Structures are given as structure tokens and as C-alpha cells.
Amino acid sequence: MMMKHYLTITLFFGLLFSLTLKAQNKPNIVLLFVDDYGWSDLNYRNKTFTTPNIDQLKKESLEFTRAYVPTPTCSPSRASILTGKEAARLQMPRHIKDEFPDGSNTKEFGIWSKDPAKRGSRNWLPLEEVTYAEKLKEFGYYNAFMGKWHLGHQPYHPIHQGFDEQTGTSNFGHPKNYYAPFFKNGPALEEYKNDKDAYLTDVLTDKAVNFINEYDKEQPFMLSLWYYTVHGPHIGRKDLIQKYLDQGMQPAYAKYHAMVETMDASVGVVRAALKEKGIDDNTVIIFTSDQGGFFENLPLAGGKRNNTLGEGGARVPMLINYPGVTKVNTECSTPIQTIDVFPTLMEIASGEKYKDNAINGVSLMPLIQQKKIKDRNLYFFRSYEDQYAAIMTGDWKLVKYFSGKYQLFNVVDDISEKNDLIDKEAKRASKMKKDLAAWEKEVYAGWEEVTEANSVFFQIPPKRKSK
């Protein structure tokens, strides 16, 4: 009888040890999500930028050279990477604009006066939506969030969407200043309000390093570091601006370059902390951006401020470093979208194939393992101006306007989108138009009714012309 009891205890502790070991062997994950960081704004593409740490990450990683955002603008891009869904299906074709001075809203939808379609766009991500943090919990992960959220005010903050902790999260889409005090209202990082030397990017970096250094749980972690930088206001670190001015740059460019350099340094510091902790060889790093850059994005056309569905607005940097899995210093030219991050995380966490009909993304693990994924259409949708939708099929992109205009580009042969082939490729254009129309019809079918009672109308003033 005692022998059976002994065997039961032995088996129990053996199973417990096995489960603990399995949990420890699961890789940690760090997602570095930069705001408004253009595809071209890296030293290995544009020598005016100082990005040694990102350049080094590139040498050790797989780069997806054609990574895109389905709705390239702040809030929708975050909703997509977080849920694996096209933001249009979440009825979020625009970024969240705050109704009140504290960055909060009482109405579920916002309508913009300048939007030709006067579409309602959500003012927060519904709590019913399943985030990658909530799913990772099922695989035993601890989830920490740091930085920019822009998916709703306090009742909709990260700690209500599956994250175990949050740091530096405000109700705003950008700070009022990168030097403290950082935000005009609200408690985010209020402890720094009297520290005139505190720089927001460095503060968040220090918080991330402290998290890594002090993490002592047996379960693996995912750290989501969603930077406020390099979004405006473009306020570079004071000690870095002068060297760019000395190179003959205009002040606006010098400040932006200083912001990029500080963000790059942050990437290096976070990676050094992982190495110091001894977990760098068991930590996946994903580096990407939420939309194209504010300034020029050559050789790509467009950007954050205009032609946003052009390559300069929708294409973003994407590096994945999965130690022992990704082949170092390699590139993948298969077009992908940030909705693919969600299922990829699930396969990293579980070690098994992930299927979920509720999401739109597909796992990138086959591409990471130098295999292939099925051909598919990628769709784009935002609602600010005449240009509003696009479809990508392989090398080809069709762009649609409310006014009835269409454009067709081969973005591989013509990366700068200078040659509109809408008339020369009539058959191809016709097929893509039909596919896009069918997708739009499917998306609209899931949209809730927007009424005066559940929406707020934002009177958007025209942009002032620069002198």
C-alpha cells in the first residue's frame, strides 16, 4: 500500500516537474511596436539615420520586406495586431479621437466631418474582442504592456484586455511632450511630472529593462512595448539634435532623426537586458511599426499624411528573431499583414498549428521555417478622404476612391508606384475590382448601425497650409 502511495507521489511530482520544464522551455516574446516608423527610415536603407541596433537585429533575423498594415493609422493598426482581425471588420476605419479633455469618450462611435462617407468609427476596442494577451494566457504566459494603447480610455485599457500589468498607458494617441510632463491630463507616468530631464522613450525603456531584470515567475512572459515614438510632436532628445543640424538638416528633420536614434538605442538596451538575464536565446523578438512615416518615404510613394494606401503609408518594417528557428540575415518577400502576428504568436506559444476562423490573419511560421503559405488577397480600408480601399494580389495592388477612380500598380516592378496600369491591365483590374467589392460587402454586413444616440460628430477643421 505504501509502495503505491510512493509511486503516486513520484508520478505527481514527475508530472509537475515536466509541466514546469515545458513552461520554462516555451520562449518569451517581446513585441517592439513603433509608432509612425517608416519602412525607409533605417540606416541600411537610408544612411542619414543612425540605427546600429536595428541594423544588428536585421543581421540576426528574418525580415519581411513586404509587411503591411490593413488600416494604416494609429488605433486600427493596434486593433489588428492585437486581435488578428482586419480593423474594418471591427468597424474601426479611423483612429480614436477623444471627446473630452482627459482623452475619454461616452459615445461608442465617432463621425468625422471630413470623411466623404461619414462613416462611424469605434471610440474603443470592445471588451468582447479576444486579444493575443487573452489567448496567450491559455498557454501559460504572463502578459505585460507598456506604452501607447490608443484603443480606448480607462475601462478599455490593457488590464481589461488580458494583460496582467500595464505601464505608461494614457488615454491619448500621442504625448503633448517627450519631456516631462508627458501628457496634458491623466495619471500616466505622473511620477515624472517634475523631472524636466525625463525623456519618454528612455523612461519606457527603463521600465522594460526593470521588468526583464526583476521577472522571477516560472511561466514565460510576453512583453508588449508599444512606443509612443516616433509619432509627433517631433521632439528629439536634446543631446542628439545638434549633430543632425551640423549635417545641414532642417530642424524638423534633425529632431525626427534624433527620435529615431533614441528609439534604436532602446532596442539595443532591451536586447542587452535579455542577454544579461541569460534569456536572449529563448526569447522571440518582433519589431514592427503601425503605419508609414510622417516624412518622405522614398523610394516608396505616399506616407502617413497623403496617399496612405500607397506603399509609403501601408508598408512597414517587420523583423522577427526566433533563436534557433529563423535563419539569420534572411528576407522574405511574400506579402503579409500585421493581422498575421496573432496566429504566429499562438503557434510560437503552443508549438502547434493554430486554427481560428474568427480571425483574418494566418500564421507566419511556415515562412519563418522557409516554407510557403497559400496565396491570398490582402485588403486595406480606411475612411478619411477620397482614397479609401485597396486590394493586393501577389505583386499587384488596386486602389479605390469614393469618386470612382481606380489605380493599379505592380509594386514589385514599380516600387515607387509611378506607372498606373489600370487601362493596360484591364482584365486583371476587373478581377481585382470584383474581389474587392465582394470583400467590402462582407465587411459592411457586420457593421452595427450608427445613430445620433451612439455617436459623436467631430467637426474637423481644414489643415492650415504651410507658409
Side-chain angles (χ1 to χ4, degrees), residues 93-127:
R94 290 188 303 279
H95 71 278
I96 293 169
K97 180 175 173 58
D98 47 277
E99 183 181 353
F100 299 111
D102 66 352
S104 65
N105 287 285
T106 57
K107 302 292 181 68
E108 186 174 7
F109 295 94
I111 299 174
W112 280 37
S113 59
K114 289 181 68 177
D115 175 10
K118 299 294 185 291
R119 300 182 192 278
S121 186
R122 289 195 185 277
N123 284 326
W124 54 74
L125 179 69
L127 297 179

PDB file of all heavy atoms in Angstrom, residues 93-127:
ATOM      1  N   PRO A  93     -12.447  52.220 -39.001  1.00  0.00           N
ATOM      2  CA  PRO A  93     -11.675  52.666 -40.164  1.00  0.00           C
ATOM      3  C   PRO A  93     -10.828  53.915 -39.918  1.00  0.00           C
ATOM      4  O   PRO A  93     -10.145  54.378 -40.821  1.00  0.00           O
ATOM      5  CB  PRO A  93     -12.768  52.968 -41.201  1.00  0.00           C
ATOM      6  CG  PRO A  93     -13.921  53.426 -40.375  1.00  0.00           C
ATOM      7  CD  PRO A  93     -13.868  52.613 -39.109  1.00  0.00           C
ATOM      8  N   ARG A  94     -10.902  54.477 -38.698  1.00  0.00           N
ATOM      9  CA  ARG A  94     -10.120  55.673 -38.366  1.00  0.00           C
ATOM     10  C   ARG A  94      -9.544  55.535 -36.957  1.00  0.00           C
ATOM     11  O   ARG A  94      -9.958  54.671 -36.180  1.00  0.00           O
ATOM     12  CB  ARG A  94     -10.993  56.933 -38.414  1.00  0.00           C
ATOM     13  CG  ARG A  94     -11.441  57.355 -39.784  1.00  0.00           C
ATOM     14  CD  ARG A  94     -12.138  58.710 -39.724  1.00  0.00           C
ATOM     15  NE  ARG A  94     -13.265  58.712 -38.811  1.00  0.00           N
ATOM     16  CZ  ARG A  94     -14.473  58.250 -39.106  1.00  0.00           C
ATOM     17  NH1 ARG A  94     -14.714  57.738 -40.296  1.00  0.00           N
ATOM     18  NH2 ARG A  94     -15.438  58.301 -38.218  1.00  0.00           N
ATOM     19  N   HIS A  95      -8.629  56.451 -36.622  1.00  0.00           N
ATOM     20  CA  HIS A  95      -8.088  56.460 -35.268  1.00  0.00           C
ATOM     21  C   HIS A  95      -9.105  57.071 -34.300  1.00  0.00           C
ATOM     22  O   HIS A  95      -9.998  57.832 -34.698  1.00  0.00           O
ATOM     23  CB  HIS A  95      -6.755  57.214 -35.211  1.00  0.00           C
ATOM     24  CG  HIS A  95      -6.866  58.699 -35.374  1.00  0.00           C
ATOM     25  ND1 HIS A  95      -6.960  59.310 -36.603  1.00  0.00           N
ATOM     26  CD2 HIS A  95      -6.896  59.695 -34.452  1.00  0.00           C
ATOM     27  CE1 HIS A  95      -7.030  60.613 -36.437  1.00  0.00           C
ATOM     28  NE2 HIS A  95      -7.000  60.889 -35.136  1.00  0.00           N
ATOM     29  N   ILE A  96      -8.961  56.744 -33.035  1.00  0.00           N
ATOM     30  CA  ILE A  96      -9.857  57.250 -32.000  1.00  0.00           C
ATOM     31  C   ILE A  96      -9.513  58.703 -31.704  1.00  0.00           C
ATOM     32  O   ILE A  96      -8.364  59.052 -31.467  1.00  0.00           O
ATOM     33  CB  ILE A  96      -9.739  56.404 -30.718  1.00  0.00           C
ATOM     34  CG1 ILE A  96     -10.272  54.986 -30.974  1.00  0.00           C
ATOM     35  CG2 ILE A  96     -10.483  57.057 -29.551  1.00  0.00           C
ATOM     36  CD1 ILE A  96      -9.965  54.001 -29.867  1.00  0.00           C
ATOM     37  N   LYS A  97     -10.527  59.538 -31.745  1.00  0.00           N
ATOM     38  CA  LYS A  97     -10.368  60.942 -31.362  1.00  0.00           C
ATOM     39  C   LYS A  97     -11.110  61.155 -30.055  1.00  0.00           C
ATOM     40  O   LYS A  97     -12.280  60.768 -29.924  1.00  0.00           O
ATOM     41  CB  LYS A  97     -10.920  61.857 -32.457  1.00  0.00           C
ATOM     42  CG  LYS A  97     -10.793  63.341 -32.134  1.00  0.00           C
ATOM     43  CD  LYS A  97     -11.231  64.197 -33.305  1.00  0.00           C
ATOM     44  CE  LYS A  97     -11.281  65.678 -32.934  1.00  0.00           C
ATOM     45  NZ  LYS A  97      -9.993  66.181 -32.453  1.00  0.00           N
ATOM     46  N   ASP A  98     -10.438  61.770 -29.069  1.00  0.00           N
ATOM     47  CA  ASP A  98     -11.074  61.928 -27.762  1.00  0.00           C
ATOM     48  C   ASP A  98     -12.169  62.988 -27.796  1.00  0.00           C
ATOM     49  O   ASP A  98     -12.062  64.026 -28.426  1.00  0.00           O
ATOM     50  CB  ASP A  98     -10.036  62.254 -26.683  1.00  0.00           C
ATOM     51  CG  ASP A  98      -9.072  63.348 -27.095  1.00  0.00           C
ATOM     52  OD1 ASP A  98      -8.101  63.011 -27.798  1.00  0.00           O
ATOM     53  OD2 ASP A  98      -9.294  64.520 -26.744  1.00  0.00           O
ATOM     54  N   GLU A  99     -13.221  62.688 -27.057  1.00  0.00           N
ATOM     55  CA  GLU A  99     -14.376  63.572 -26.963  1.00  0.00           C
ATOM     56  C   GLU A  99     -14.172  64.610 -25.856  1.00  0.00           C
ATOM     57  O   GLU A  99     -14.658  65.736 -25.942  1.00  0.00           O
ATOM     58  CB  GLU A  99     -15.610  62.712 -26.669  1.00  0.00           C
ATOM     59  CG  GLU A  99     -16.930  63.426 -26.590  1.00  0.00           C
ATOM     60  CD  GLU A  99     -18.068  62.460 -26.269  1.00  0.00           C
ATOM     61  OE1 GLU A  99     -17.848  61.235 -26.244  1.00  0.00           O
ATOM     62  OE2 GLU A  99     -19.176  62.950 -26.012  1.00  0.00           O
ATOM     63  N   PHE A 100     -13.453  64.197 -24.796  1.00  0.00           N
ATOM     64  CA  PHE A 100     -13.248  65.055 -23.637  1.00  0.00           C
ATOM     65  C   PHE A 100     -11.759  65.329 -23.428  1.00  0.00           C
ATOM     66  O   PHE A 100     -10.906  64.590 -23.920  1.00  0.00           O
ATOM     67  CB  PHE A 100     -13.854  64.405 -22.387  1.00  0.00           C
ATOM     68  CG  PHE A 100     -15.329  64.190 -22.490  1.00  0.00           C
ATOM     69  CD1 PHE A 100     -15.856  62.912 -22.591  1.00  0.00           C
ATOM     70  CD2 PHE A 100     -16.203  65.267 -22.495  1.00  0.00           C
ATOM     71  CE1 PHE A 100     -17.220  62.713 -22.697  1.00  0.00           C
ATOM     72  CE2 PHE A 100     -17.573  65.073 -22.604  1.00  0.00           C
ATOM     73  CZ  PHE A 100     -18.084  63.797 -22.702  1.00  0.00           C
ATOM     74  N   PRO A 101     -11.421  66.382 -22.660  1.00  0.00           N
ATOM     75  CA  PRO A 101     -10.011  66.750 -22.456  1.00  0.00           C
ATOM     76  C   PRO A 101      -9.148  65.666 -21.831  1.00  0.00           C
ATOM     77  O   PRO A 101      -7.928  65.676 -22.008  1.00  0.00           O
ATOM     78  CB  PRO A 101     -10.110  67.973 -21.530  1.00  0.00           C
ATOM     79  CG  PRO A 101     -11.449  68.559 -21.818  1.00  0.00           C
ATOM     80  CD  PRO A 101     -12.336  67.387 -22.084  1.00  0.00           C
ATOM     81  N   ASP A 102      -9.766  64.727 -21.101  1.00  0.00           N
ATOM     82  CA  ASP A 102      -8.968  63.664 -20.481  1.00  0.00           C
ATOM     83  C   ASP A 102      -8.754  62.480 -21.417  1.00  0.00           C
ATOM     84  O   ASP A 102      -8.214  61.442 -21.022  1.00  0.00           O
ATOM     85  CB  ASP A 102      -9.605  63.190 -19.173  1.00  0.00           C
ATOM     86  CG  ASP A 102     -10.948  62.491 -19.383  1.00  0.00           C
ATOM     87  OD1 ASP A 102     -11.465  62.514 -20.524  1.00  0.00           O
ATOM     88  OD2 ASP A 102     -11.481  61.930 -18.411  1.00  0.00           O
ATOM     89  N   GLY A 103      -9.175  62.631 -22.671  1.00  0.00           N
ATOM     90  CA  GLY A 103      -8.978  61.570 -23.658  1.00  0.00           C
ATOM     91  C   GLY A 103     -10.043  60.501 -23.654  1.00  0.00           C
ATOM     92  O   GLY A 103      -9.892  59.474 -24.318  1.00  0.00           O
ATOM     93  N   SER A 104     -11.136  60.725 -22.938  1.00  0.00           N
ATOM     94  CA  SER A 104     -12.184  59.703 -22.841  1.00  0.00           C
ATOM     95  C   SER A 104     -13.338  59.998 -23.800  1.00  0.00           C
ATOM     96  O   SER A 104     -13.406  61.057 -24.420  1.00  0.00           O
ATOM     97  CB  SER A 104     -12.714  59.616 -21.407  1.00  0.00           C
ATOM     98  OG  SER A 104     -13.359  60.820 -21.043  1.00  0.00           O
ATOM     99  N   ASN A 105     -14.236  59.030 -23.918  1.00  0.00           N
ATOM    100  CA  ASN A 105     -15.420  59.143 -24.765  1.00  0.00           C
ATOM    101  C   ASN A 105     -16.615  58.526 -24.062  1.00  0.00           C
ATOM    102  O   ASN A 105     -16.466  57.576 -23.284  1.00  0.00           O
ATOM    103  CB  ASN A 105     -15.200  58.415 -26.097  1.00  0.00           C
ATOM    104  CG  ASN A 105     -14.246  59.142 -27.025  1.00  0.00           C
ATOM    105  OD1 ASN A 105     -14.608  60.139 -27.627  1.00  0.00           O
ATOM    106  ND2 ASN A 105     -13.026  58.650 -27.117  1.00  0.00           N
ATOM    107  N   THR A 106     -17.792  59.050 -24.347  1.00  0.00           N
ATOM    108  CA  THR A 106     -19.027  58.431 -23.846  1.00  0.00           C
ATOM    109  C   THR A 106     -19.793  57.734 -24.964  1.00  0.00           C
ATOM    110  O   THR A 106     -20.605  56.858 -24.708  1.00  0.00           O
ATOM    111  CB  THR A 106     -19.958  59.483 -23.210  1.00  0.00           C
ATOM    112  OG1 THR A 106     -20.232  60.502 -24.184  1.00  0.00           O
ATOM    113  CG2 THR A 106     -19.323  60.100 -21.981  1.00  0.00           C
ATOM    114  N   LYS A 107     -19.497  58.111 -26.207  1.00  0.00           N
ATOM    115  CA  LYS A 107     -20.197  57.531 -27.357  1.00  0.00           C
ATOM    116  C   LYS A 107     -19.320  56.465 -28.005  1.00  0.00           C
ATOM    117  O   LYS A 107     -18.107  56.620 -28.126  1.00  0.00           O
ATOM    118  CB  LYS A 107     -20.534  58.619 -28.376  1.00  0.00           C
ATOM    119  CG  LYS A 107     -21.398  59.763 -27.813  1.00  0.00           C
ATOM    120  CD  LYS A 107     -22.801  59.301 -27.463  1.00  0.00           C
ATOM    121  CE  LYS A 107     -23.642  60.449 -26.936  1.00  0.00           C
ATOM    122  NZ  LYS A 107     -23.948  61.457 -27.963  1.00  0.00           N
ATOM    123  N   GLU A 108     -19.969  55.389 -28.437  1.00  0.00           N
ATOM    124  CA  GLU A 108     -19.235  54.254 -28.985  1.00  0.00           C
ATOM    125  C   GLU A 108     -18.575  54.570 -30.324  1.00  0.00           C
ATOM    126  O   GLU A 108     -17.524  54.023 -30.647  1.00  0.00           O
ATOM    127  CB  GLU A 108     -20.174  53.060 -29.136  1.00  0.00           C
ATOM    128  CG  GLU A 108     -19.481  51.786 -29.554  1.00  0.00           C
ATOM    129  CD  GLU A 108     -20.421  50.582 -29.566  1.00  0.00           C
ATOM    130  OE1 GLU A 108     -21.644  50.777 -29.369  1.00  0.00           O
ATOM    131  OE2 GLU A 108     -19.932  49.461 -29.786  1.00  0.00           O
ATOM    132  N   PHE A 109     -19.199  55.463 -31.102  1.00  0.00           N
ATOM    133  CA  PHE A 109     -18.690  55.772 -32.440  1.00  0.00           C
ATOM    134  C   PHE A 109     -18.401  57.263 -32.598  1.00  0.00           C
ATOM    135  O   PHE A 109     -19.019  58.099 -31.950  1.00  0.00           O
ATOM    136  CB  PHE A 109     -19.701  55.354 -33.511  1.00  0.00           C
ATOM    137  CG  PHE A 109     -19.943  53.879 -33.580  1.00  0.00           C
ATOM    138  CD1 PHE A 109     -20.995  53.309 -32.888  1.00  0.00           C
ATOM    139  CD2 PHE A 109     -19.118  53.054 -34.333  1.00  0.00           C
ATOM    140  CE1 PHE A 109     -21.226  51.935 -32.937  1.00  0.00           C
ATOM    141  CE2 PHE A 109     -19.340  51.686 -34.395  1.00  0.00           C
ATOM    142  CZ  PHE A 109     -20.394  51.123 -33.698  1.00  0.00           C
ATOM    143  N   GLY A 110     -17.472  57.552 -33.469  1.00  0.00           N
ATOM    144  CA  GLY A 110     -17.187  58.924 -33.849  1.00  0.00           C
ATOM    145  C   GLY A 110     -17.371  59.084 -35.346  1.00  0.00           C
ATOM    146  O   GLY A 110     -17.047  58.178 -36.125  1.00  0.00           O
ATOM    147  N   ILE A 111     -17.919  60.223 -35.764  1.00  0.00           N
ATOM    148  CA  ILE A 111     -18.106  60.525 -37.190  1.00  0.00           C
ATOM    149  C   ILE A 111     -17.326  61.791 -37.499  1.00  0.00           C
ATOM    150  O   ILE A 111     -17.437  62.792 -36.792  1.00  0.00           O
ATOM    151  CB  ILE A 111     -19.601  60.717 -37.528  1.00  0.00           C
ATOM    152  CG1 ILE A 111     -20.381  59.432 -37.214  1.00  0.00           C
ATOM    153  CG2 ILE A 111     -19.776  61.094 -39.002  1.00  0.00           C
ATOM    154  CD1 ILE A 111     -21.882  59.576 -37.383  1.00  0.00           C
ATOM    155  N   TRP A 112     -16.530  61.730 -38.562  1.00  0.00           N
ATOM    156  CA  TRP A 112     -15.690  62.871 -38.926  1.00  0.00           C
ATOM    157  C   TRP A 112     -16.352  63.686 -40.033  1.00  0.00           C
ATOM    158  O   TRP A 112     -16.806  63.131 -41.038  1.00  0.00           O
ATOM    159  CB  TRP A 112     -14.321  62.384 -39.404  1.00  0.00           C
ATOM    160  CG  TRP A 112     -13.400  62.027 -38.290  1.00  0.00           C
ATOM    161  CD1 TRP A 112     -13.718  61.424 -37.112  1.00  0.00           C
ATOM    162  CD2 TRP A 112     -12.002  62.280 -38.246  1.00  0.00           C
ATOM    163  NE1 TRP A 112     -12.601  61.262 -36.341  1.00  0.00           N
ATOM    164  CE2 TRP A 112     -11.525  61.776 -37.003  1.00  0.00           C
ATOM    165  CE3 TRP A 112     -11.094  62.864 -39.120  1.00  0.00           C
ATOM    166  CZ2 TRP A 112     -10.195  61.848 -36.628  1.00  0.00           C
ATOM    167  CZ3 TRP A 112      -9.762  62.927 -38.747  1.00  0.00           C
ATOM    168  CH2 TRP A 112      -9.315  62.437 -37.512  1.00  0.00           C
ATOM    169  N   SER A 113     -16.326  64.988 -39.867  1.00  0.00           N
ATOM    170  CA  SER A 113     -16.944  65.858 -40.866  1.00  0.00           C
ATOM    171  C   SER A 113     -16.245  65.766 -42.222  1.00  0.00           C
ATOM    172  O   SER A 113     -16.879  65.921 -43.263  1.00  0.00           O
ATOM    173  CB  SER A 113     -16.925  67.309 -40.378  1.00  0.00           C
ATOM    174  OG  SER A 113     -15.590  67.746 -40.132  1.00  0.00           O
ATOM    175  N   LYS A 114     -14.939  65.490 -42.223  1.00  0.00           N
ATOM    176  CA  LYS A 114     -14.191  65.458 -43.488  1.00  0.00           C
ATOM    177  C   LYS A 114     -14.243  64.100 -44.191  1.00  0.00           C
ATOM    178  O   LYS A 114     -13.761  63.960 -45.299  1.00  0.00           O
ATOM    179  CB  LYS A 114     -12.725  65.829 -43.225  1.00  0.00           C
ATOM    180  CG  LYS A 114     -12.528  67.289 -42.879  1.00  0.00           C
ATOM    181  CD  LYS A 114     -11.063  67.618 -42.657  1.00  0.00           C
ATOM    182  CE  LYS A 114     -10.272  67.533 -43.937  1.00  0.00           C
ATOM    183  NZ  LYS A 114      -8.852  67.918 -43.745  1.00  0.00           N
ATOM    184  N   ASP A 115     -14.814  63.098 -43.528  1.00  0.00           N
ATOM    185  CA  ASP A 115     -14.933  61.775 -44.137  1.00  0.00           C
ATOM    186  C   ASP A 115     -16.024  61.811 -45.209  1.00  0.00           C
ATOM    187  O   ASP A 115     -17.184  62.079 -44.894  1.00  0.00           O
ATOM    188  CB  ASP A 115     -15.283  60.753 -43.048  1.00  0.00           C
ATOM    189  CG  ASP A 115     -15.539  59.359 -43.594  1.00  0.00           C
ATOM    190  OD1 ASP A 115     -15.270  59.123 -44.785  1.00  0.00           O
ATOM    191  OD2 ASP A 115     -16.008  58.501 -42.830  1.00  0.00           O
ATOM    192  N   PRO A 116     -15.698  61.548 -46.470  1.00  0.00           N
ATOM    193  CA  PRO A 116     -16.711  61.612 -47.536  1.00  0.00           C
ATOM    194  C   PRO A 116     -17.915  60.704 -47.286  1.00  0.00           C
ATOM    195  O   PRO A 116     -19.032  61.038 -47.683  1.00  0.00           O
ATOM    196  CB  PRO A 116     -15.931  61.162 -48.784  1.00  0.00           C
ATOM    197  CG  PRO A 116     -14.512  61.441 -48.467  1.00  0.00           C
ATOM    198  CD  PRO A 116     -14.367  61.207 -46.998  1.00  0.00           C
ATOM    199  N   ALA A 117     -17.683  59.559 -46.633  1.00  0.00           N
ATOM    200  CA  ALA A 117     -18.768  58.607 -46.394  1.00  0.00           C
ATOM    201  C   ALA A 117     -19.470  58.847 -45.057  1.00  0.00           C
ATOM    202  O   ALA A 117     -20.494  58.213 -44.790  1.00  0.00           O
ATOM    203  CB  ALA A 117     -18.233  57.178 -46.427  1.00  0.00           C
ATOM    204  N   LYS A 118     -18.911  59.745 -44.224  1.00  0.00           N
ATOM    205  CA  LYS A 118     -19.459  59.995 -42.876  1.00  0.00           C
ATOM    206  C   LYS A 118     -19.677  58.676 -42.135  1.00  0.00           C
ATOM    207  O   LYS A 118     -20.719  58.420 -41.538  1.00  0.00           O
ATOM    208  CB  LYS A 118     -20.762  60.782 -42.971  1.00  0.00           C
ATOM    209  CG  LYS A 118     -20.621  62.163 -43.622  1.00  0.00           C
ATOM    210  CD  LYS A 118     -19.769  63.091 -42.778  1.00  0.00           C
ATOM    211  CE  LYS A 118     -19.725  64.503 -43.354  1.00  0.00           C
ATOM    212  NZ  LYS A 118     -18.968  64.599 -44.624  1.00  0.00           N
ATOM    213  N   ARG A 119     -18.662  57.802 -42.177  1.00  0.00           N
ATOM    214  CA  ARG A 119     -18.748  56.506 -41.518  1.00  0.00           C
ATOM    215  C   ARG A 119     -18.516  56.658 -40.014  1.00  0.00           C
ATOM    216  O   ARG A 119     -17.687  57.441 -39.575  1.00  0.00           O
ATOM    217  CB  ARG A 119     -17.681  55.545 -42.056  1.00  0.00           C
ATOM    218  CG  ARG A 119     -17.759  55.270 -43.533  1.00  0.00           C
ATOM    219  CD  ARG A 119     -16.666  54.270 -43.920  1.00  0.00           C
ATOM    220  NE  ARG A 119     -16.511  54.171 -45.366  1.00  0.00           N
ATOM    221  CZ  ARG A 119     -17.274  53.427 -46.154  1.00  0.00           C
ATOM    222  NH1 ARG A 119     -18.237  52.703 -45.629  1.00  0.00           N
ATOM    223  NH2 ARG A 119     -17.064  53.377 -47.455  1.00  0.00           N
ATOM    224  N   GLY A 120     -19.212  55.844 -39.245  1.00  0.00           N
ATOM    225  CA  GLY A 120     -18.930  55.781 -37.819  1.00  0.00           C
ATOM    226  C   GLY A 120     -17.707  54.909 -37.579  1.00  0.00           C
ATOM    227  O   GLY A 120     -17.526  53.883 -38.235  1.00  0.00           O
ATOM    228  N   SER A 121     -16.838  55.329 -36.673  1.00  0.00           N
ATOM    229  CA  SER A 121     -15.655  54.550 -36.314  1.00  0.00           C
ATOM    230  C   SER A 121     -15.612  54.419 -34.799  1.00  0.00           C
ATOM    231  O   SER A 121     -15.854  55.379 -34.072  1.00  0.00           O
ATOM    232  CB  SER A 121     -14.387  55.259 -36.818  1.00  0.00           C
ATOM    233  OG  SER A 121     -13.243  54.460 -36.596  1.00  0.00           O
ATOM    234  N   ARG A 122     -15.304  53.223 -34.308  1.00  0.00           N
ATOM    235  CA  ARG A 122     -15.375  52.954 -32.869  1.00  0.00           C
ATOM    236  C   ARG A 122     -14.420  53.848 -32.069  1.00  0.00           C
ATOM    237  O   ARG A 122     -13.302  54.116 -32.484  1.00  0.00           O
ATOM    238  CB  ARG A 122     -15.046  51.491 -32.582  1.00  0.00           C
ATOM    239  CG  ARG A 122     -16.122  50.539 -33.040  1.00  0.00           C
ATOM    240  CD  ARG A 122     -15.942  49.147 -32.434  1.00  0.00           C
ATOM    241  NE  ARG A 122     -16.920  48.228 -32.987  1.00  0.00           N
ATOM    242  CZ  ARG A 122     -18.172  48.109 -32.552  1.00  0.00           C
ATOM    243  NH1 ARG A 122     -18.576  48.861 -31.539  1.00  0.00           N
ATOM    244  NH2 ARG A 122     -19.009  47.264 -33.114  1.00  0.00           N
ATOM    245  N   ASN A 123     -14.883  54.223 -30.901  1.00  0.00           N
ATOM    246  CA  ASN A 123     -14.078  55.023 -29.991  1.00  0.00           C
ATOM    247  C   ASN A 123     -13.384  54.171 -28.937  1.00  0.00           C
ATOM    248  O   ASN A 123     -12.748  54.725 -28.029  1.00  0.00           O
ATOM    249  CB  ASN A 123     -14.944  56.088 -29.311  1.00  0.00           C
ATOM    250  CG  ASN A 123     -15.264  57.236 -30.247  1.00  0.00           C
ATOM    251  OD1 ASN A 123     -14.453  57.607 -31.088  1.00  0.00           O
ATOM    252  ND2 ASN A 123     -16.450  57.802 -30.109  1.00  0.00           N
ATOM    253  N   TRP A 124     -13.516  52.874 -29.012  1.00  0.00           N
ATOM    254  CA  TRP A 124     -12.766  51.944 -28.161  1.00  0.00           C
ATOM    255  C   TRP A 124     -12.868  50.535 -28.736  1.00  0.00           C
ATOM    256  O   TRP A 124     -13.773  50.236 -29.517  1.00  0.00           O
ATOM    257  CB  TRP A 124     -13.277  51.959 -26.723  1.00  0.00           C
ATOM    258  CG  TRP A 124     -14.761  51.721 -26.563  1.00  0.00           C
ATOM    259  CD1 TRP A 124     -15.442  50.536 -26.700  1.00  0.00           C
ATOM    260  CD2 TRP A 124     -15.768  52.700 -26.236  1.00  0.00           C
ATOM    261  NE1 TRP A 124     -16.787  50.721 -26.480  1.00  0.00           N
ATOM    262  CE2 TRP A 124     -17.020  52.031 -26.182  1.00  0.00           C
ATOM    263  CE3 TRP A 124     -15.725  54.074 -25.959  1.00  0.00           C
ATOM    264  CZ2 TRP A 124     -18.206  52.700 -25.866  1.00  0.00           C
ATOM    265  CZ3 TRP A 124     -16.909  54.734 -25.654  1.00  0.00           C
ATOM    266  CH2 TRP A 124     -18.122  54.049 -25.621  1.00  0.00           C
ATOM    267  N   LEU A 125     -11.925  49.692 -28.388  1.00  0.00           N
ATOM    268  CA  LEU A 125     -11.972  48.290 -28.796  1.00  0.00           C
ATOM    269  C   LEU A 125     -12.909  47.564 -27.835  1.00  0.00           C
ATOM    270  O   LEU A 125     -12.679  47.565 -26.622  1.00  0.00           O
ATOM    271  CB  LEU A 125     -10.580  47.666 -28.725  1.00  0.00           C
ATOM    272  CG  LEU A 125     -10.493  46.185 -29.111  1.00  0.00           C
ATOM    273  CD1 LEU A 125     -10.743  46.013 -30.601  1.00  0.00           C
ATOM    274  CD2 LEU A 125      -9.134  45.604 -28.741  1.00  0.00           C
ATOM    275  N   PRO A 126     -13.975  46.950 -28.336  1.00  0.00           N
ATOM    276  CA  PRO A 126     -14.917  46.263 -27.452  1.00  0.00           C
ATOM    277  C   PRO A 126     -14.230  45.191 -26.604  1.00  0.00           C
ATOM    278  O   PRO A 126     -13.340  44.482 -27.088  1.00  0.00           O
ATOM    279  CB  PRO A 126     -15.918  45.633 -28.429  1.00  0.00           C
ATOM    280  CG  PRO A 126     -15.830  46.471 -29.665  1.00  0.00           C
ATOM    281  CD  PRO A 126     -14.397  46.889 -29.751  1.00  0.00           C
ATOM    282  N   LEU A 127     -14.635  45.090 -25.365  1.00  0.00           N
ATOM    283  CA  LEU A 127     -14.038  44.110 -24.457  1.00  0.00           C
ATOM    284  C   LEU A 127     -14.315  42.680 -24.909  1.00  0.00           C
ATOM    285  O   LEU A 127     -13.604  41.754 -24.512  1.00  0.00           O
ATOM    286  CB  LEU A 127     -14.565  44.324 -23.033  1.00  0.00           C
ATOM    287  CG  LEU A 127     -14.212  45.672 -22.393  1.00  0.00           C
ATOM    288  CD1 LEU A 127     -14.807  45.759 -20.989  1.00  0.00           C
ATOM    289  CD2 LEU A 127     -12.709  45.893 -22.350  1.00  0.00           C
TER     290      LEU A 127
END
